[in-house]
Amino acid sequence: RRKQGGDDLEISVCLASGRCCSLSISSTSTVEVLKLQALEALSLGGSLKLLDPEGSVLQPGKSLEKAGLRSGLTLTAVVDPIRLSATKRAFAAWRLGGGVVVWGAAGDGGHPLRRMQQLPNV
């Protein structure tokens, strides 16, 4: 499950609720791999952002080493909820962090460019 090479890091990931998990992961693994392991360990669905101890969002493509992570750190996990809306034949998902994903029949709202004027604050 983890890449070869690099030292193993022991990192805690905690939700705002106080629920935490401890993960052992190679320092050459990416933040994205750490996120996936945290999602599984915390039994969460969807997506989350990991914040370092200073509150900065960790970039998914960086290695843990390049992100400056070391053993013993506790990271904060922020669940990124999605709000859904639908018409008869189209759907839209609003992400808390910004952005909208649409799919379905173009005439019913499934085409993003046709609805852009109706989403001025997104």
Side-chain angles (χ1 to χ4, degrees), residues 1-75:
R1 210 205 256 258
R2 61 182 173 83
K3 297 179 182 177
Q4 297 298 319
D7 297 325
D8 280 350
L9 303 177
E10 300 296 325
I11 296 177
S12 295
V13 178
C14 296
L15 296 167
S17 67
R19 191 164 55 128
C20 297
C21 66
S22 294
L23 301 170
S24 181
I25 187 168
S26 170
S27 62
T28 59
S29 291
T30 64
V31 171
E32 184 64 27
V33 170
L34 178 62
K35 284 172 45 173
L36 293 172
Q37 287 188 10
L39 278 169
E40 184 177 328
L42 293 166
S43 301
L44 297 172
S47 131
L48 60 83
K49 292 180 184 171
L50 293 176
L51 308 179
D52 66 19
E54 287 77 39
S56 298
V57 176
L58 296 173
Q59 299 306 311
K62 279 192 174 179
S63 73
L64 302 181
E65 192 173 55
K66 288 186 179 175
L69 300 184
R70 60 188 186 287
S71 276
L73 284 181
T74 298
L75 305 177

Side-chain angles (χ1 to χ4, degrees), residues 105-120:
D108 287 333
H111 191 284
L113 297 178
R114 291 188 181 176
R115 299 291 180 230
M116 204 57 76
Q117 301 82 3
Q118 297 172 356
L119 304 169

